[in-house]
Amino acid sequence: MRKIKAFTLTELLIVLVIIGILVLLAIPNLMPLISRARSTEAKLHLEHIYTLEKTYFYMYSRYSDDFEEIGYEHEKLVSEGGTANYKLEIVEASVNSFKAKATAIVDFDGDGTFNVWEIDQDKNLKEVVKD
């Protein structure tokens, strides 16, 4: 009977434990980067809402507070089985101004604070609450 050179189960488990420890050491350093990447979703959706609101304004000389009127369709939230991490809403809309808000429904870094972004009629995109 010939023996085949291979790793033992113990050696493989030790390697997996070492990789696990390295991942646990790296995650706290990567959390701000992950939060920043996820906030890109809010920025893109708010900029899209801004574009739709401006188009609506040029057509009707006022801003709308209804997503259906401006032609925006919100993706399903993560809590509803979808992929969206932010709940979007138009906070105010009048003849001369509007404000839309994106509120995170997921606490990205686990500190209890939920990320909030806003945009207005002048395309002032700002992070109101940092996560």
Side-chain angles (χ1 to χ4, degrees), residues 31-81:
M31 285 311 291
L33 188 66
I34 293 169
S35 295
R36 224 178 358 196
R38 292 220 173 134
S39 68
T40 303
E41 174 189 343
K43 293 180 204 177
L44 289 174
H45 283 283
L46 287 173
E47 287 175 357
H48 182 60
I49 289 172
Y50 167 81
T51 303
L52 293 172
E53 283 282 4
K54 276 300 189 184
T55 303
Y56 187 86
F57 178 78
Y58 293 140
M59 290 174 63
Y60 300 104
S61 298
R62 66 180 178 88
Y63 293 104
S64 174
D65 61 352
D66 185 19
F67 284 139
E68 286 186 27
E69 279 185 352
I70 63 173
Y72 181 77
E73 188 174 325
H74 194 295
E75 294 178 33
K76 278 189 172 181
L77 298 172
V78 172
S79 59
E80 300 168 352

Side-chain angles (χ1 to χ4, degrees), residues 6-16:
F7 296 107
T8 65
L9 182 60
T10 308
E11 291 170 335
L12 290 174
L13 288 175
I14 289 172
V15 169
L16 287 175

Side-chain angles (χ1 to χ4, degrees), residues 54-123:
K54 276 300 189 184
T55 303
Y56 187 86
F57 178 78
Y58 293 140
M59 290 174 63
Y60 300 104
S61 298
R62 66 180 178 88
Y63 293 104
S64 174
D65 61 352
D66 185 19
F67 284 139
E68 286 186 27
E69 279 185 352
I70 63 173
Y72 181 77
E73 188 174 325
H74 194 295
E75 294 178 33
K76 278 189 172 181
L77 298 172
V78 172
S79 59
E80 300 168 352
T83 58
N85 292 307
Y86 286 87
K87 179 182 178 192
L88 296 156
E89 59 186 324
I90 298 174
V91 180
E92 65 180 64
S94 66
V95 174
N96 298 323
S97 67
F98 86 93
K99 185 181 287 186
K101 181 169 74 168
T103 306
I105 60 163
V106 178
D107 185 11
F108 300 124
D109 58 3
D111 65 354
T113 306
F114 292 90
N115 200 359
V116 178
W117 286 84
E118 285 184 350
I119 195 166
D120 63 10
Q121 72 281 350
D122 297 324
K123 203 174 183 179

